[in-house]
Amino acid sequence: MASTLEAFMSWLRIPVLASSGIAAVLSGVLYFKQNEIIYPRNFPPDARTNVPRPSAFGMSDYEDLMIPTPDGESLSAFYLRANKQLARNVTILMFHGNAGNIGYRIPIAKILVEDFGCNVFMLQYRGYGLSSGTPNEKGLMIDAQTGLDYIRQRPELRGTRIVIYGQSIGGAVTIGLAARNFNRKDIAGIILENTFTSMRKLIPSAFPPARYLATLCHQIWPSEDSLPQITDVPILFLSGLKDEIIPASHMAQLYKICRSEPKVWKEFPNGSHNDTVMEKAYFESIEEFISEHVAR
Ligand SMILES: *[C@@H]1O[C@H](CO)[C@@H](O)[C@H](O)[C@H]1NC(C)=O
Ligand SMILES: *[C@@H]1O[C@H](CO)[C@@H](O)[C@H](O)[C@H]1NC(C)=O
Ligand SMILES: *[C@@H]1O[C@H](CO)[C@@H](O)[C@H](O)[C@H]1NC(C)=O
């Protein structure tokens, strides 16, 4: 989301200085162009064409998939099979953060697959990487549901314990998906890393000059409304306290309003927005959560 911030700031520098007339015109631009700002899928510049494959990371037991959505898009995805020696009947559905594509997150998946014995299913939202279409909130939620339904329908995965794991905006996708599906009782865990309470509440803190434009934001991502609807699913909160994009207070607030039990809080004093995953104890926290609360 660093590029989001830069794009946002360049949009806003002008209205802050300009007359209200120009500001109104620019507000209009912001209203119609915000999806380009909120979903920086073309960053880095080759992110739409260059998607690293698991084979480039020494993994071979996987499938490279294109999955159709009910509304006609085609989503690129990787299904990585658990290390057979450690296999523990858990399937992790991963939702990535902004920028880049799923290929960039394979090193994370590799640890889950090879060291923790979990299956991983990672898909790329519409408009990202090799998936078709353009991103927006409604579309990303269709994509998320498509991924969950794929796991539910695939015979070798049916009956495994499903964990949904989302980083940054992927956390908002995770919360929305879990809120719509937890009643089926097949979601065995949720992992949230550095995500926000709602897009509107993120704007004033992440982009202070845009404070007065926050109401124009039509991408809602209402995690603070959806999360409290979820009950009886173990939830792990991973919060980098030095997050420079999404203030850590968002994660603290989500933890506070979460009604699902058990809920587990892990904070990383040196973790910033995209390197919390590198903090010591990040993966230990995930392993402990899965062992204690998911794969009992
Ligand atoms: C976070 O990621 C962005 C985009 O990938 C990058 O430009 C930035 O340097 C990263 N920040 C840190 C602290 O790693
Ligand atoms: C995996 O979990 C499902 C549902 O909890 C169960 O039916 C199945 O027997 C388990 N398989 C293994 C290999 O433990
Ligand atoms: C955070 O960084 C400081 C300075 O590099 C280091 O001394 C400290 O041990 C780190 N804390 C953790 C929890 O990693």
Side-chain angles (χ1 to χ4, degrees):
M1 293 230 332
S3 64
T4 318
L5 182 65
E6 280 156 31
F8 224 105
M9 296 315 272
S10 63
W11 282 111
L12 293 165
R13 207 165 293 131
I14 309 163
V16 168
L17 300 170
S19 73
S20 58
I22 294 171
V25 170
L26 286 166
S27 301
V29 171
L30 183 66
Y31 186 80
F32 292 109
K33 291 282 184 195
Q34 61 183 259
N35 283 12
E36 295 307 315
I37 297 169
I38 292 173
Y39 309 103
R41 60 222 168 82
N42 295 311
F43 183 84
D46 68 347
R48 292 302 308 281
T49 49
N50 182 13
V51 179
R53 295 296 200 283
S55 52
F57 297 86
M59 305 179 78
S60 55
D61 195 6
Y62 72 92
E63 291 176 23
D64 193 338
L65 304 163
M66 286 302 273
I67 297 175
T69 70
D71 63 337
E73 300 300 347
S74 181
L75 306 177
S76 104
F78 297 134
Y79 163 42
L80 304 129
R81 285 191 194 82
N83 171 350
K84 292 199 171 49
Q85 272 82 50
L86 300 174
R88 66 199 320 181
N89 212 9
V90 171
T91 302
I92 300 180
L93 173 58
M94 265 179 81
F95 292 118
H96 62 82
N98 247 325
N101 57 52
I102 49 174
Y104 294 48
R105 282 82 182 182
I106 292 170
I108 299 171
K110 186 175 163 83
I111 294 173
L112 304 173
V113 166
E114 293 185 353
D115 299 342
F116 299 171
C118 300
N119 304 303
V120 169
F121 184 85
M122 53 201 310
L123 70 71
Q124 217 147 230
Y125 314 122
R126 62 188 59 201
Y128 284 79
L130 306 179
S131 297
S132 68
T134 52
N136 57 65
E137 183 173 0
K138 186 163 166 257
L140 264 62
M141 287 315 304
I142 295 172
D143 300 345
Q145 189 68 52
T146 301
L148 179 60
D149 292 345
Y150 181 88
I151 292 174
R152 283 173 166 169
Q153 283 156 24
R154 186 159 171 152
E156 70 183 272
L157 294 178
R158 202 182 291 150
T160 59
R161 298 174 189 275
I162 299 171
V163 174
I164 314 179
Y165 167 31
Q167 302 176 286
S168 189
I169 198 163
V173 173
T174 298
I175 291 169
L177 181 68
R180 289 172 171 80
N181 288 274
F182 75 97
N183 282 330
R184 286 247 321 240
K185 307 282 181 204
D186 59 351
I187 297 172
I190 293 171
I191 301 173
L192 301 172
E193 180 207 308
N194 294 344
T195 192
F196 50 81
T197 52
S198 76
M199 187 57 79
R200 277 184 188 166
K201 287 199 175 149
L202 177 61
I203 288 173
S205 51
F207 319 110
R211 186 178 297 271
Y212 74 107
L213 295 176
T215 52
L216 294 176
C217 187
H218 52 59
Q219 300 295 292
I220 312 293
W221 293 111
S223 295
E224 62 186 346
D225 299 328
S226 307
L227 181 62
Q229 296 167 17
I230 302 169
T231 53
D232 302 319
V233 181
I235 306 188
L236 173 62
F237 294 78
L238 301 168
S239 178
L241 300 185
K242 290 218 168 66
D243 192 327
E244 72 291 16
I245 311 265
I246 301 174
S249 58
H250 283 250
M251 283 295 284
Q253 175 66 10
L254 289 172
Y255 178 76
K256 191 174 144 201
I257 62 175
C258 174
R259 293 166 51 231
S260 204
E261 293 286 351
K263 56 180 182 179
V264 179
W265 175 262
K266 295 282 177 181
E267 62 186 34
F268 304 91
N270 293 337
S272 65
H273 189 66
N274 36 1
D275 69 4
T276 297
V277 70
M278 310 285 285
E279 288 299 295
K280 203 166 145 288
Y282 181 92
F283 285 102
E284 280 166 37
S285 303
I286 292 181
E287 149 72 9
E288 193 180 286
F289 175 74
I290 291 174
S291 297
E292 286 182 13
H293 301 296
V294 175
R296 284 152 300 157

